[in-house]
């Protein structure tokens, strides 16, 4: 078999570095995110998150799978206190899972890591529906936060996509 012809031309690699990223407020107090990849149409989002000691995210339901690689610190799901995630931990979460992310109050450093999320988080506060966070909602909040702070639009990868007719 011969090498296939290139159908998706790239002038350069699609690559971003968290060291060059714009750190923006996350969805909960004590959290911040650096966007890396946001695909509204396919519902995929990749973020680098930082979470201060004592940070707790809303309890949430995942509509798709999640991959989380912890690079620094420690965190756990309140529902699984005996399974702390520490630097070097890789966590796979199946779609349909429900949990509450938390960094211990007495943690000595921020917990940090890369998350690759397919689908949406359906968030709950006090067991009541609060909101839905998907790639589109996250992108909208990132752009609004950057504008409010007077920061440039963060550099992240976003598929061009778009709905259109193939012909008239």
């Amino acid at each position: 078999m011969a090498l296939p012809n290139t159908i998706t031309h790239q002038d350069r690699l699609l690559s971003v570095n968290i060291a060059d990223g714009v750190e923006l407020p996350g969805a909960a107090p004590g959290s911040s995110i650096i966007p890396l990849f946001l695909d509204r149409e396919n519902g995929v989002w990749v973020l680098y998150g930082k979470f201060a000691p004592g940070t707790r995210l809303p309890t949430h339901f995942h509509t798709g799978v999640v991959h989380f690689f912890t690079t620094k610190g420690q965190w756990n799901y309140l529902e699984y206190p005996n399974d702390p995630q520490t630097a070097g931990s890789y966590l796979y979460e199946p779609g349909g899972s429900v949990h509450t992310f938390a960094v211990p109050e007495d943690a000595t450093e921020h917990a940090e890591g890369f998350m690759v999320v397919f689908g949406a988080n359906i968030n709950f506060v006090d067991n009541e529906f609060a909101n839905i966070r998907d790639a589109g909602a996250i992108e909208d909040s990132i752009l609004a936060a950057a504008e409010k702070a007077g920061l440039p639009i963060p550099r992240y990868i976003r598929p061009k996509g778009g709905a259109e007719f193939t012909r008239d």
Side-chain angles (χ1 to χ4, degrees):
M1 177 174 178
L3 184 65
N5 291 328
T6 301
I7 60 170
T8 305
H9 176 75
Q10 289 179 246
D11 292 325
R12 57 187 299 200
L13 291 177
L14 296 172
S15 175
V16 292
N17 188 310
I18 61 169
D20 301 327
V22 175
E23 191 172 325
L24 297 161
S31 68
S32 64
I33 56 172
I34 298 172
L36 302 172
F37 177 89
L38 297 169
D39 183 347
R40 289 174 177 261
E41 291 182 11
N42 291 300
V44 180
W45 34 295
V46 181
L47 307 172
Y48 187 79
K50 297 182 179 184
F51 308 92
T55 298
R56 182 175 169 175
L57 300 181
T59 301
H60 54 277
F61 168 86
H62 286 287
T63 64
V65 301
V66 176
H67 303 272
F68 194 108
F69 182 75
T70 303
T71 59
K72 184 176 178 183
Q74 177 181 326
W75 63 275
N76 65 279
Y77 287 131
L78 296 181
E79 296 81 5
Y80 304 95
N82 297 323
D83 293 319
Q85 300 299 298
T86 58
S89 294
Y90 162 74
L91 174 67
Y92 170 77
E93 302 170 20
S97 60
V98 177
H99 41 249
T100 310
F101 177 101
V103 179
E105 294 278 346
D106 61 353
T108 59
E109 64 182 340
H110 280 61
E112 298 184 14
F114 291 93
M115 63 193 85
V116 179
V117 183
F118 294 79
N121 284 7
I122 313 298
N123 294 311
F124 297 84
V125 175
D126 297 326
N127 292 322
E128 295 293 325
F129 172 78
N131 59 45
I132 297 173
R133 302 276 293 164
D134 62 6
I138 290 168
E139 185 172 39
D140 290 347
S141 66
I142 284 169
L143 296 174
E147 183 178 354
K148 181 178 179 182
L151 296 169
I153 293 173
R155 184 172 184 259
Y156 53 90
I157 298 165
R158 181 170 189 248
K160 289 182 180 177
E164 62 185 27
F165 291 111
T166 56
R167 62 184 172 84
D168 286 328

